[in-house]
Amino acid sequence: MVNNELLEIIFLTLRVSGSALAIACVLGIPFGLILGSEEFRGKKIIQLLISTGMGLPPVVVGLVVYLLLSNQGPLGTINWLFSPSGMILSQSILAFPLAAGFTSSAIAAVSPKLIIQIRSMGTTSWQEKITIFSQARNGIIAAVLAAFGRIISEVGAVMLVGGNIEGHTRVLSTAIVLETRQGKFAFALSLGFVLLGIALLANSLTYYFGGQWEK
Amino acid sequence: MTPNNIFKIENLEKKYGERKVVDIKNIYVNNGDFFVIVGPSGAGKSTFLRLLKYLEEPTNGDIYFEGKKLSNPLDVNIQRSISMVFQRPEFLKRSVFENVEFPLWIRGKKDNEKVEKVLGQVDIGNLIREKTSSLSGGELQRLALARAMVVDPKVLLLDEPTANLDPYNVELIEKIVLNLNKAGKTIVMVTHNVFQAKRLASSAGLLLNGKLVEVGSADTFFNTPKDARVKDFLEGRMVY
Ligand SMILES: Nc1ncnc2c1ncn2[C@@H]1O[C@H](COP(=O)(O)OP(=O)(O)O)[C@@H](O)[C@H]1O
Ligand SMILES: [Mg+2]
């Protein structure tokens, strides 16, 4: 019984965090690639917004998404409040600035002299972009890990937007809060270990495949 | 225009702000030349090479490559016909092999044998699997040369290719580029080293404050220069 419930919680945690991570990276990495390599008007302001976004308090994001999704809110009709979709939305918002910001600094750290020398060989602009991207690879892996770290450990936004509904929106972090409040410290702690285990596994896989990629 | 010209330069000027760094009237580089420009540090040698490769746009004047006027952005086929070895070469954070393969990849013509052959030519065939970070200065410079040579360009531009290297590497690199030139490759090199210029050039010029003060065949330039400043520079009497 407990086992089934636990599995469900783990599965939902992976589903919500995985989807949010995917969305944040699919949007954030190309965004960071442009931000780190192109010059355009308003770039400074966007950089400022991104770096502020990297430290957004999850509860505030949760609150804003809550208001957006609530019945009276502008997105009320899609019925995402207290649903995994709403949780994914708020976690994507939290992780996007990290994916974009770290990617952008990794790209900007690629030596401009190297880029000129590569370009002088007659690269197309696509080849140039791919090459810069591959040179910034380690920084981009760090961007993904940072985004993942933010999402998996986050409790404020999923709590507000998801509501911690058993069998529906309860994830590891919100379950830990609940169990702790109810004084079930041992169970809370074991949930904590599961969370840690997931983080450790994700990091190990990244390092493993990152290392493979390198050689 | 004789079809023999690889480069033709007309009233070439480059200014940084108000400062004119390159100011060259008319010169030709012919097919098969080993054209060397000597000059003190700060004379504008590197800027001149960057202009030939159109990495920078001239403030005034024109450069023709095989009769075609260069303009921005540089035609990718011309870009790929001109290989440049930079004064401070930079490499991809990849292996020696991959760095030499890179210009072939750009052209969609990856070729392991070519890479191995050219690395052998510059005598770092044994380092093919190493990361560039583990190479010495001389080896890196030869890698830069290999990377430029592998695509068999029409012209090689060399910016101080042996600056700060030990005599062994200097000799090795000079031998390699001389052989390339003997095999027909057109080379434009800039250096502050008069002795090296003398060893390599088929034609030469002196660049001072962005101006070419004398250009001619190597024989005339080194043995019977007309301009007093060339004599002074060749004999090491120029104060700079
Ligand atoms: N991007 C630049 N902006 C301003 N000044 C430059 C720039 N590049 C070179 N210069 C100046 O132009 C002059 C010639 O430089 P350079 O071509 O590097 O000389 P050389 O290669 O002969 O030593 C130097 O005084 C240098 O400071
Ligand atoms: Mg120079």
Side-chain angles (χ1 to χ4, degrees):
Chain A
M1 185 62 199
V2 169
N3 269 342
N4 239 345
E5 193 192 328
L6 180 62
L7 280 179
E8 223 173 320
I9 291 176
I10 292 174
F11 182 72
L12 185 68
T13 304
L14 290 177
R15 189 181 129 209
V16 168
S17 300
S19 310
L21 181 66
I23 292 169
C25 290
V26 164
L27 300 176
I29 291 175
F31 191 88
L33 189 58
I34 293 167
L35 195 61
S37 59
E38 309 281 341
E39 293 303 322
F40 52 88
R41 258 184 40 176
K43 177 170 167 167
K44 282 263 160 357
I45 292 173
I46 293 179
Q47 275 171 330
L48 184 70
L49 290 177
I50 291 286
S51 55
T52 309
M54 289 167 87
L56 276 185
V59 239
V60 176
V61 172
L63 177 61
V64 172
V65 173
Y66 186 100
L67 293 175
L68 283 176
L69 297 180
S70 67
N71 275 336
Q72 296 87 336
L75 299 177
T77 48
I78 58 175
N79 269 324
W80 275 12
L81 194 60
F82 305 128
S83 79
S85 301
M87 295 155 81
I88 292 170
L89 174 65
S90 49
Q91 291 205 324
S92 305
I93 294 172
L94 279 171
F96 171 82
L98 287 165
F102 278 117
T103 299
S104 157
S105 16
I107 294 289
V110 176
S111 153
K113 282 185 187 159
L114 175 68
I115 296 171
I116 289 174
Q117 298 192 11
I118 286 168
R119 195 178 299 156
S120 84
M121 296 177 196
T123 46
T124 63
S125 64
W126 258 114
Q127 291 172 332
E128 185 182 315
K129 283 204 167 53
I130 293 168
T131 309
I132 294 173
F133 189 81
S134 82
Q135 289 297 292
R137 188 191 56 218
N138 289 343
I140 294 166
I141 290 174
V144 176
L145 284 179
F148 178 75
R150 183 110 212 254
I151 290 173
I152 194 77
S153 60
E154 188 278 321
V155 60
V158 280
M159 186 70 107
L160 277 180
V161 176
N164 195 25
I165 302 165
E166 187 180 344
H168 184 44
T169 60
R170 181 164 299 167
V171 288
L172 280 166
S173 60
T174 54
I176 291 172
V177 173
L178 182 74
E179 301 301 333
T180 308
R181 279 216 198 101
Q182 294 179 346
K184 298 181 192 158
F185 299 117
F187 190 49
L189 205 56
S190 52
L191 288 175
F193 278 119
V194 173
L195 200 54
L196 263 177
I198 292 174
L200 190 66
L201 187 67
N203 276 276
S204 314
L205 286 176
T206 315
Y207 279 121
Y208 179 74
F209 287 112
Q212 291 294 93
W213 194 6
E214 185 148 19
K215 198 53 225 182
Chain B
M1 167 146 331
T2 52
N4 198 27
N5 288 159
I6 282 255
F7 281 115
K8 179 184 169 202
I9 285 152
E10 285 180 346
N11 301 315
L12 184 65
E13 276 185 25
K14 179 70 190 178
K15 284 186 187 170
Y16 288 122
E18 281 305 295
R19 235 180 100 221
K20 214 183 268 180
V21 173
V22 169
D23 182 7
I24 295 177
K25 294 297 162 227
N26 290 296
I27 52 169
Y28 301 91
V29 177
N30 289 325
N31 235 321
D33 268 0
F34 200 135
F35 180 50
V36 180
I37 288 186
V38 291
S41 157
K45 302 183 298 295
S46 294
T47 308
F48 171 69
L49 277 194
R50 285 201 300 273
L51 287 168
L52 285 187
K53 191 93 176 76
Y54 234 71
L55 296 173
E56 299 193 40
E57 232 176 319
T59 314
N60 282 306
D62 297 315
I63 301 171
Y64 295 85
F65 177 78
E66 295 188 315
K68 269 180 269 168
K69 192 168 134 179
L70 303 188
S71 58
N72 207 11
L74 187 55
D75 176 85
V76 77
N77 287 319
I78 297 183
Q79 185 76 276
R80 290 176 181 181
S81 308
I82 307 172
S83 282
M84 178 149 170
V85 176
F86 288 80
Q87 192 165 356
R88 287 182 199 80
E90 302 240 343
F91 299 95
L92 300 169
K93 284 186 262 171
R94 298 183 193 169
S95 69
V96 166
F97 176 88
E98 285 166 300
N99 269 278
V100 178
E101 189 185 49
F102 184 77
L104 294 169
W105 171 74
I106 288 173
R107 292 157 175 79
K109 291 180 182 166
K110 287 214 250 178
D111 184 339
N112 291 4
E113 272 176 38
K114 240 187 199 165
V115 174
E116 283 162 22
K117 187 175 155 229
V118 79
L119 283 172
Q121 265 175 289
V122 301
D123 204 20
I124 47 174
N126 55 328
L127 303 175
I128 190 162
R129 296 289 153 206
E130 299 294 320
K131 295 232 145 201
T132 54
S133 51
S134 66
L135 269 58
S136 72
E139 288 161 349
L140 285 175
Q141 200 63 39
R142 283 182 271 145
L143 175 60
L145 199 55
R147 178 174 73 174
M149 287 158 57
V150 73
V151 292
D152 195 20
K154 288 183 176 153
V155 193
L156 259 182
L157 307 181
L158 308 175
D159 192 349
E160 311 260 10
T162 66
N164 307 319
L165 294 186
D166 56 285
Y168 168 79
N169 272 292
V170 173
E171 198 184 332
L172 198 53
I173 288 174
E174 288 187 3
K175 210 184 277 173
I176 296 164
V177 295
L178 259 185
N179 280 336
L180 282 174
N181 180 246
K182 274 186 195 140
K185 187 76 62 208
T186 310
I187 298 180
V188 180
M189 179 173 108
V190 302
T191 175
H192 64 268
N193 184 334
V194 173
F195 305 103
Q196 177 165 64
K198 213 167 173 173
R199 288 193 291 269
L200 299 177
S202 67
S203 59
L206 171 65
L207 194 67
L208 281 183
N209 298 319
K211 287 189 172 18
L212 263 181
V213 297
E214 183 169 341
V215 191
S217 74
D219 187 36
T220 318
F221 183 85
F222 290 108
N223 299 321
T224 55
K226 292 171 198 70
D227 197 296
R229 288 168 295 179
V230 178
K231 283 178 203 161
D232 286 350
F233 189 79
L234 293 179
E235 285 160 26
R237 270 185 276 120
M238 183 159 286
V239 183
Y240 60 83

